[in-house]
Amino acid sequence: MILAFVLSLFVACGGDDGNEQYPPHTTNQTEPPTIPTLPIQHIPNYIITLNIEPAHRHISGVLHVDFVNTSHSYVDNVYFNIPLNSFNSNAQFIPFFEPFEDRIFRHGINSQHSVGYVSITAASANLMPIDFSISENILSLHLPESLPPSTGIDIGLIFEAQIPLISHRTGANANGMWLGNFLPVLSVLSVNGWHNYPYFPAGSPFFTQTSNFVVNITTPLNYSVASSGIATTTSSEFNLTLVEAHRVRDFAFVVMSENYNTARTTSHEGINIAFHWSSASTEINYAEILSTASRALSYFGRMIGPSPYNNLEIVEVNHFMIGTQAYPGIIFVDSQLLRSRAVHNSLARDIAHQWFYNVVGNNPVQDAWLLYGLATFLAFDFLMEPSYVSAYIRHLHENLSNTIQGITYNALSTNLGQFDSWSDFYNIQYIRGTVFFYALQQQMGATTFDRFLRAYYERFAFGIATTADMMAVAEEISNMDLQDFFYDWALSYALPPLPEIINLPKIDYIPEFGWGDIWELE
């Protein structure tokens, strides 16, 4: 009875009915290992050709994907998310908080260089032209006939894109272009319908499913590509880079000029790691960056399960926060962060996201804490001895206990659209989420918690997990009734106290995880 009540609260606070509509915000590789996974009804296969002109920041592309109606109803429209259109000069929904405007728009928000968009010039179904419409960041393709359940269709798009000179997930500078959350991708279709979201300012509001990508990228000879997946480049009049990325949740890449430097290493498990940077080489300790990445990959592989990917690219970009941005097999690192010791902490967290976000997916609009809280907790575990983890999280718990009642929406199930500042989002989804998983570890015991973590990963690898799924696995593995625990630590207005631990070390160093200037901006 209590469990049903807890689950009903999660649905009430962050339930997902499909086809969600939200008002504008008020403020401006290789095959995976053989492990037990959820049954997968269909993995979309994208075949994409991109011709890139870096001098004009222009991209022309052709995309084909096999769409299958996995719902229980007939489908009349197929939806794609095209996030870059939120940076069109005509966009009504502002995808950032006002304090970040100057950092994002280096040339001014009204500059012609700050405008970005994807323009769809043609769409097809089974190679026959079809009508389409675009509303902000959502593309709707109107099928000529209703598509029955369990039936597939080939969807084609021809598009043009303009990349803005901004510091965001997609952007550009004099050294190249970085393209995260750039490609048009299918919205998620569940039994509840389509999940179409605005580009919320907080978090990463991109709900995606595991897919396969084959991408052909043409660039001038003096440009190279770092990307998700495994890339092979041939040269003639241009560079042609063929990328294959299997079972990834997103496809991201960077087009790099000859100003980039590259250093490489290989982890103990044979994962190839490359670090690409464009700053002066004397400013960057690339050996330390590669060492942190290699050790983190090994650590999480032992703790959670083997990484299903053989490559990891780390690339310097200009980001709107002094932090890192994780994508499958590639991590974007802000230039300013590279000059800080905090780069190692932020990098560790985003390597943990290769397991929890990429392999184990979830709806980041409804259940953001499942990826942010868990990855941050795992980064602490990698970076610090257990006693220091306990001491530091107790420090976080004390600070959050003093501030949480001043945050209007402070449950872990809070929808991204409810947050009106990055600091509130960070305190709830990162910090409260981290404290939750630490408290769960203390409740279960470290050995049982490790078993739970591996079971959760294996059971939902390449699928989509919900809060209820995670709760069920935790109760199953621990053989405990955790219903009251989940309510108190995830939903209650005030944080419960943590159990006392004697002889904890004194915390005289507070690790920074990037994004440390959020508070100064807000």
Side-chain angles (χ1 to χ4, degrees):
M1 181 67 68
I2 297 177
L3 178 58
F5 173 65
V6 171
L7 292 179
S8 70
L9 284 177
F10 270 105
V11 172
C13 295
D16 201 339
D17 297 321
N19 261 333
E20 300 85 351
Q21 299 295 323
Y22 296 93
H25 206 281
T26 55
T27 59
N28 284 346
Q29 40 234 272
T30 58
E31 289 297 321
T34 302
I35 56 178
T37 65
L38 287 178
I40 298 176
Q41 291 178 297
H42 176 69
I43 295 180
N45 295 283
Y46 290 84
I47 299 176
I48 302 170
T49 300
L50 301 172
N51 184 60
I52 299 180
E53 303 172 67
H56 305 289
R57 306 188 316 280
H58 181 266
I59 299 176
S60 56
V62 178
L63 178 153
H64 280 272
V65 60
D66 55 325
F67 167 74
V68 173
N69 179 5
T70 55
S71 74
H72 297 161
S73 305
Y74 278 72
V75 165
D76 295 311
N77 298 288
V78 175
Y79 295 93
F80 282 72
N81 190 4
I82 43 176
L84 188 58
N85 274 14
S86 294
F87 293 91
N88 193 320
S89 57
N90 297 321
Q92 300 298 309
F93 194 93
I94 300 174
F96 58 88
F97 293 119
E98 188 175 357
F100 293 91
E101 181 179 310
D102 290 343
R103 177 172 294 176
I104 295 170
F105 301 98
R106 304 188 305 271
H107 299 272
I109 192 170
N110 295 317
S111 167
Q112 62 176 343
H113 301 299
S114 299
V115 174
Y117 58 84
V118 172
S119 174
I120 307 298
T121 56
S124 65
N126 287 340
L127 303 180
M128 297 297 294
I130 57 174
D131 294 330
F132 60 90
S133 58
I134 297 176
S135 177
E136 292 287 308
N137 62 307
I138 301 299
L139 166 67
S140 175
L141 305 180
H142 312 307
L143 300 181
E145 297 181 355
S146 297
L147 191 66
S150 303
T151 305
I153 192 171
D154 173 81
I155 297 293
L157 299 176
I158 300 176
F159 61 92
E160 305 282 332
Q162 186 64 38
I163 308 304
L165 280 172
I166 63 173
S167 300
H168 214 270
R169 294 182 178 94
T170 290
N173 60 20
N175 294 314
M177 304 185 300
W178 50 96
L179 300 112
N181 306 110
F182 156 71
L183 288 171
V185 293
L186 285 165
S187 297
V188 173
L189 175 63
S190 73
V191 293
N192 295 322
W194 290 95
H195 299 263
N196 294 320
Y197 299 107
Y199 197 143
F200 289 123
S204 298
F206 312 109
F207 186 20
T208 55
Q209 59 190 313
T210 297
S211 302
N212 298 321
F213 289 84
V214 175
V215 186
N216 288 278
I217 304 173
T218 300
T219 61
L221 288 172
N222 57 333
Y223 284 84
S224 57
V225 173
S227 70
S228 304
I230 298 176
T232 304
T233 300
T234 57
S235 302
S236 56
E237 186 178 353
F238 300 95
N239 279 338
L240 177 60
T241 302
L242 171 63
V243 186
E244 295 189 40
H246 297 285
R247 287 193 171 186
V248 295
R249 208 160 291 278
D250 293 292
F251 183 87
F253 63 105
V254 181
V255 178
M256 306 178 295
S257 74
E258 53 197 356
N259 294 332
Y260 270 86
N261 306 281
T262 298
R264 303 179 187 275
T265 192
T266 304
S267 75
H268 178 73
E269 297 75 21
I271 300 173
N272 301 309
I273 308 167
F275 173 44
H276 312 276
W277 72 99
S278 57
S279 300
S281 58
T282 55
E283 299 177 359
I284 306 299
N285 190 328
Y286 60 84
E288 285 191 357
I289 297 288
L290 291 172
S291 175
T292 294
S294 178
R295 291 185 295 106
L297 286 167
S298 297
Y299 186 84
F300 297 136
R302 292 193 304 270
M303 171 182 282
I304 306 164
S307 169
Y309 309 108
N310 274 0
N311 286 16
L312 176 65
E313 307 275 352
I314 304 166
V315 190
E316 178 183 359
V317 304
N318 291 141
H319 205 260
F320 70 106
M321 291 185 182
I322 303 176
T324 54
Q325 184 70 40
Y327 295 100
I330 186 168
I331 296 173
F332 297 173
V333 184
D334 177 67
S335 293
Q336 287 182 257
L337 186 67
L338 283 175
R339 295 162 177 80
S340 166
R341 296 297 303 172
V343 64
H344 302 283
N345 306 336
S346 193
L347 185 59
R349 180 192 61 215
D350 276 8
I351 289 175
H353 277 315
Q354 300 301 310
W355 280 261
F356 296 106
Y357 141 67
N358 184 27
V359 178
V360 177
N362 67 283
N363 183 337
V365 174
Q366 305 290 351
D367 294 312
W369 71 284
L370 287 183
L371 60 101
Y372 296 123
L374 184 51
T376 304
F377 174 69
L378 292 173
F380 289 166
D381 207 56
F382 165 70
L383 293 161
M384 295 182 278
E385 294 295 326
S387 61
Y388 281 90
V389 172
S390 291
Y392 181 55
I393 290 184
R394 284 160 195 277
H395 168 80
L396 295 177
H397 177 273
E398 180 180 358
N399 287 347
L400 185 58
S401 295
N402 294 330
T403 61
I404 193 170
Q405 296 187 37
I407 301 174
T408 303
Y409 301 100
N410 61 23
L412 288 177
S413 56
T414 299
N415 184 288
L416 290 190
Q418 302 290 349
F419 291 107
D420 58 12
S421 74
W422 264 101
S423 56
D424 285 357
F425 166 80
Y426 185 83
N427 272 315
I428 300 306
Q429 304 293 5
Y430 278 86
I431 304 304
R432 185 170 189 173
T434 299
V435 171
F436 173 94
F437 283 108
Y438 172 77
L440 182 62
Q441 184 193 53
Q442 299 301 301
Q443 183 82 1
M444 289 182 171
T447 300
T448 302
F449 181 84
D450 288 349
R451 288 176 49 231
F452 149 72
L453 203 64
R454 288 190 290 271
Y456 177 52
Y457 173 72
E458 291 178 355
R459 194 164 302 177
F460 292 98
F462 308 110
I464 294 171
T466 65
T467 291
D469 292 329
M470 186 277 296
M471 292 164 59
V473 175
E475 288 202 321
E476 175 189 330
I477 298 301
S478 67
N479 197 28
M480 293 179 177
D481 181 346
L482 296 171
Q483 299 160 16
D484 290 341
F485 172 89
F486 284 123
Y487 177 83
D488 292 342
W489 285 98
L491 294 173
S492 63
Y493 198 63
L495 288 179
L498 287 167
E500 291 293 329
I501 298 179
I502 61 173
N503 298 325
L504 286 179
K506 179 182 178 182
I507 292 294
D508 53 8
Y509 165 67
I510 304 301
E512 295 181 20
F513 278 76
W515 302 4
D517 57 345
I518 292 175
W519 329 119
E520 296 175 15
L521 285 170
E522 297 191 338

